[in-house]
Amino acid sequence: MDRKPVIFFVGLILLALIIVVFYRVSTDPFTSQPKESTNVEQQSKNNNANVHDNNQVITLYSQKCSTCHGQVGQGLAGYPSLKNTELSAKEIRQIIVNGKGEMPAFKDLTETQLSQLIQLINQF
C-alpha cells in the first residue's frame, strides 16, 4: 500500500484546521488588542478596581456567562474570549442586553448587575 496519498490527506486536513483556527482568532472581536481607555472609562476602572471581591457579580457571571466564556473570560469551545476586549462599555452593555450571534440576550439584568458585569469583563 502506498502511504503517500494518506500522508498528503492528513497534511491537507491539518492545514485546513490551522486556517480555520487562525480565521476564528483573527475575526473574534473580543481577542483584539485593547484600545486606549478614555478618562471616564479609566476613572471607572480605578474607582471599582476590586469587582472580583464582589461575590454577587462573580456568581452572576458564573451562572450566565462562564459556560461559554470560561471562568476567567478565556473563552471556551470556539466562543470568544473576553480578555483584552477592544469593545467600549457601551458596546459590551448592548451585546449583553440584546445578544449577538449565538449569544442570547439578557434583558432581565438590573443596571447594577450590568455595570458590575462590564467592570468584571474590563478586568479580565
Side-chain angles (χ1 to χ4, degrees):
M1 181 175 139
D2 190 9
R3 292 185 174 231
K4 287 185 180 183
V6 173
I7 293 172
F8 173 76
F9 285 113
V10 168
L12 196 60
I13 290 170
L14 288 174
L15 180 63
L17 284 172
I18 291 169
I19 291 171
V20 167
V21 168
F22 178 75
Y23 175 77
R24 290 284 294 184
V25 169
S26 66
T27 59
D28 184 0
F30 291 106
T31 59
S32 301
Q33 294 297 320
K35 64 182 177 186
E36 295 278 328
S37 294
T38 63
N39 287 338
V40 174
E41 289 174 339
Q42 189 63 41
Q43 287 174 351
S44 175
K45 282 184 184 181
N46 292 340
N47 292 339
N48 301 298
N50 293 320
V51 172
H52 286 286
D53 294 337
N54 185 338
N55 287 333
Q56 290 176 338
V57 72
I58 300 296
T59 302
L60 179 65
Y61 178 84
S62 293
Q63 292 171 345
K64 303 229 183 231
C65 311
S66 67
T67 303
C68 299
H69 297 291
Q71 284 297 329
V72 291
Q74 76 275 19
L76 298 173
Y79 293 101
S81 170
L82 302 177
K83 293 182 177 232
N84 300 323
T85 182
E86 216 177 78
L87 299 172
S88 69
K90 183 178 179 182
E91 292 169 317
I92 294 170
R93 177 183 302 270
Q94 183 177 1
I95 291 171
I96 292 170
V97 172
N98 299 321
K100 182 175 181 182
E102 293 181 31
M103 181 171 160
F106 294 100
K107 296 183 184 279
D108 61 330
L109 299 177
T110 66
E111 284 302 313
T112 301
Q113 289 173 322
L114 281 168
S115 296
Q116 289 175 340
L117 274 175
I118 291 166
Q119 291 168 12
L120 181 65
I121 290 166
N122 284 327
Q123 288 184 1
F124 284 144

